[in-house]
């Protein structure tokens, strides 16, 4: 009996905190830390129904009074016997309760272990297990919708439809080969071709959802480009400050680049600040160019920052040329709190997505948010949950497409 237990709620003091337990046969163990008000043993309580009682430490002293509920397997989240204790959300209460459960024979669950068990016990497939993690980490309503849809099996159903079509083709093929004397429709190249074409079309459409899916689930990789003093750092700070709640600094994959996340127009931008690009003796500049090129390579969006208070310089031209390599560019004419030295409209033909902003005052950031939202539409509810959102899923779809393509080529040969 491997019983796991963990605090399911956060680490700050809250009104209610939940401790969760899973493992076949865990009800007797739970009964040692919970005394129901009516006196009936925990294992005999009605399934899936909250019961009031006292949580006890190993010496039998009361830790808290609250609710407990048991979910007998296999119809539970993990597929095993599960229980939950809802107490007052003091971190100390929750830790004491957890210690009591450990003393009674449970062990600390690893991160994600409840969902891992749900997957291993066939309660959900891999895309659904991935959706649980995505849902926990969702930073926007669009990300929530995508993860919730995937959790309810939308992506699995879309894949299953393609899979079933291929299995039908293969089954027919083998039936004809293996049972030549039976009265089975002979296979015709046309039917197989149609089936393979349909699978290919479906897989290609699925793969086209990957960019949108990963941007919704993980954020849009975005680089700031501009000559020194155009206001890139100020703008990064202004954007990050725009939604302080989710500011985090994640060390980037490239040395000396940091990633700051911000939410703009309902989209999470992973702003990649190519720190150190500003020092400009030639050797450093060369490295700088390399680094910004690397950042640009993975970027889905470039924010081109120009200093609107000064005439355009050759350095600005270089930045514009660099930005043009990105799949999408928004040109930001910064320092709009000062008199503008050139007309923004002059650049409109080169950069149709253009915003006049001030990092100093925050002017224009709302319009920037609208532009970002238009470039990365969240999509309608109809497709929520059906998008590929991570590299594993995309790789699997790509391999399936390759296999179908090989089959088509064999057929034609
Ligand atoms: P970077 O080299 O592109 O990162 O530029 P910085 O963010 O370091 O800004 C360069 C200078 O421009 C600093 O003195 C900033 O205070 C100033 N600056 C940046 N944005 C604005 C703005 O919107 N308005 C004004 N007036 N000054 C700004």
């Amino acid at each position: 009996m491997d019983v796991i237990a963990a605090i399911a709620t956060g680490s700050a003091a809250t009104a209610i905190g939940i401790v969760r337990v899973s493992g076949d046969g865990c009800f007797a163990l739970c009964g040692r830390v919970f005394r129901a008000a009516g006196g009936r043993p925990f294992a005999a309580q009605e399934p899936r129904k909250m019961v009031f009682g006292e949580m006890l430490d190993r010496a039998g002293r009361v830790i808290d009074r609250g609710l407990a509920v048991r979910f007998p397997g296999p119809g539970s989240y993990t597929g095993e016997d599960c229980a939950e204790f809802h107490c007052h959300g003091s971190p100390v209460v929750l830790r004491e309760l957890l210690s009591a459960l450990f003393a009674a024979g449970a062990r600390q669950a690893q991160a994600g272990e409840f969902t891992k068990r749900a997957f291993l016990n066939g309660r959900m497939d891999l895309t659904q297990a991935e959706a649980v993690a995505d849902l926990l980490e969702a930073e926007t309503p669009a990300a929530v919708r995508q993860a919730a849809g995937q959790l309810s099996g939308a992506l699995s159903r879309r894949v299953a439809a393609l899979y079933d079509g291929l299995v039908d083709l293969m089954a027919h093929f083998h039936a004809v080969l293996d049972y030549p004397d039976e009265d089975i429709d002979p296979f015709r190249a046309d039917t197989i071709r149609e089936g393979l074409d349909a699978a290919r079309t479906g897989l290609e459409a699925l793969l086209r959802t990957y960019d949108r899916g990963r941007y919704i689930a993980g954020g849009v990789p975005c680089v700031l480009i501009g000559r020194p003093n155009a206001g890139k750092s100020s703008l990064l700070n202004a954007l990050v400050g725009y939604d302080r709640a989710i500011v985090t600094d994640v060390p980037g994959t490239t040395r000396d680049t940091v990633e700051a996340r911000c939410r703009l127009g309902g989209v999470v931008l992973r702003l990649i600040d190519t720190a150190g690009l500003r020092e400009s003796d030639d050797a450093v500049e060369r490295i700088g160019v390399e680094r910004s090129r690397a950042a640009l390579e993975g970027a889905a969006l470039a924010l081109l920052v120009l200093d609107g208070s000064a005439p355009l310089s050759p350095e600005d031209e270089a930045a514009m040329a660099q930005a043009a390599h990105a799949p999408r560019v928004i040109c930001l004419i910064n320092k709009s709190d000062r008199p503008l030295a050139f007309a923004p409209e002059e650049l409109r033909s080169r950069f149709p997505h253009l915003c006049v902003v001030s990092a100093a005052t925050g002017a224009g950031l709302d319009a920037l948010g609208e532009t970002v939202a238009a470039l990365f539409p969240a999509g309608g509810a109809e497709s929520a949950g059906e998008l590929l959102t991570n590299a594993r899923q995309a790789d699997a779809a790509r391999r399936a497409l390759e296999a179908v393509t090989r089959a088509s080529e064999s057929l034609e040969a």
Side-chain angles (χ1 to χ4, degrees):
M1 187 180 62
D2 183 22
V3 178
I4 53 173
I7 298 171
T9 43
S11 52
T14 46
I16 294 170
I18 299 174
V19 171
R20 192 156 61 144
V21 183
S22 178
D24 283 330
C26 71
F27 299 140
L29 182 158
C30 293
R32 269 174 256 152
V33 305
F34 182 76
R35 186 163 60 211
R40 195 141 60 110
F42 185 66
Q45 295 291 343
E46 205 177 316
R48 296 176 294 279
K49 194 169 167 189
M50 290 281 195
V51 56
F52 182 72
E54 289 171 335
M55 286 79 174
L56 310 169
D57 71 9
R58 72 181 78 183
R61 291 172 301 209
V62 175
I63 301 168
D64 194 6
R65 288 145 59 85
L67 297 166
V69 57
R70 65 186 197 97
F71 305 94
S76 66
Y77 181 74
T78 60
E80 307 168 334
D81 291 341
C82 290
E84 283 178 16
F85 298 96
H86 295 222
C87 337
H88 295 101
S90 141
V92 181
V93 164
L94 297 172
R95 274 201 301 273
E96 287 286 296
L97 177 56
L98 201 56
S99 302
L101 285 163
F102 294 161
R107 69 164 172 84
Q108 173 67 50
Q110 293 157 6
E113 198 171 5
F114 286 88
T115 303
K116 177 180 170 186
R117 287 186 175 198
F119 167 67
L120 292 175
N121 291 326
R123 297 293 293 167
M124 54 174 74
D125 66 26
L126 199 47
T127 66
Q128 290 173 306
E130 287 170 334
V132 173
D134 288 348
L135 193 51
L136 294 182
E137 284 163 15
E139 293 171 55
T140 59
V144 166
R145 276 196 296 278
Q146 164 59 31
Q150 188 173 314
L151 183 55
S152 66
L155 179 57
S156 313
R157 282 191 293 277
R158 183 167 177 172
V159 170
L162 294 168
Y163 183 81
D164 290 347
L166 289 169
V167 169
D168 282 350
L169 271 188
M170 200 168 63
H172 185 209
F173 186 81
H174 282 288
V176 172
L177 277 190
D178 293 348
Y179 304 99
D181 302 330
E182 298 288 326
D183 188 19
I184 302 171
D185 289 343
F187 54 72
R188 303 199 342 259
D190 280 354
T191 326
I192 299 181
R193 190 178 293 123
E194 266 167 39
L196 290 173
D197 285 350
R200 193 170 49 233
T201 310
L203 285 165
E204 282 165 353
L206 187 61
L207 272 165
R208 277 196 300 274
T209 69
Y210 180 42
D211 276 348
R212 190 147 68 88
R214 70 190 159 123
Y215 298 155
I216 289 175
V220 173
C222 170
V223 282
L224 289 158
I225 295 173
R227 67 157 168 80
N229 285 325
K232 297 180 296 299
S233 313
S234 308
L235 203 72
L236 183 119
N237 289 335
L239 289 174
V240 167
Y242 199 67
D243 188 359
R244 247 170 243 290
I246 59 160
V247 175
T248 49
D249 284 324
V250 186
T253 42
T254 319
R255 215 153 20 111
D256 292 344
T257 65
V258 279
E259 187 188 303
R261 297 171 77 86
C262 75
R263 198 164 46 193
L264 198 63
V267 177
V268 171
L269 295 184
R270 289 164 41 202
L271 293 164
I272 299 148
D273 180 19
T274 41
L277 299 192
R278 261 155 270 135
E279 303 115 90
S280 61
D281 63 73
D282 281 341
V284 176
E285 204 144 82
R286 240 180 301 120
I287 302 167
V289 169
E290 266 319 299
R291 275 195 207 128
S292 52
R293 186 169 298 145
L296 249 173
E297 225 155 71
L301 173 68
L303 296 179
L304 168 66
V305 185
L306 303 174
D307 179 347
S309 70
L312 291 171
S313 69
E315 281 180 309
D316 289 315
E317 280 298 334
M320 288 191 246
Q322 206 183 12
H325 291 295
R328 301 169 195 79
V329 185
I330 301 178
C331 177
L332 299 173
I333 317 276
N334 188 33
K335 309 196 188 181
S336 67
D337 51 297
R338 289 198 194 152
L340 292 182
F342 58 92
E345 288 310 315
E346 283 170 23
L347 294 173
R348 177 79 69 179
S349 58
R350 283 175 76 182
F351 300 103
H353 303 291
L354 188 144
C355 296
V356 179
V357 300
S358 165
T361 66
L365 295 186
D366 283 330
L368 173 59
E370 283 161 25
T371 307
V372 169
L375 283 175
F376 297 95
E382 77 286 346
S383 63
E386 287 194 353
L387 315 177
L388 299 178
T389 51
N390 66 38
R392 184 196 68 81
Q393 296 167 1
D395 183 54
R398 236 175 256 129
R399 280 183 290 125
L401 180 60
E402 277 163 21
V404 169
T405 305
R406 270 199 310 277
S408 298
E409 285 164 4
S410 304
L411 181 72
E412 300 311 328

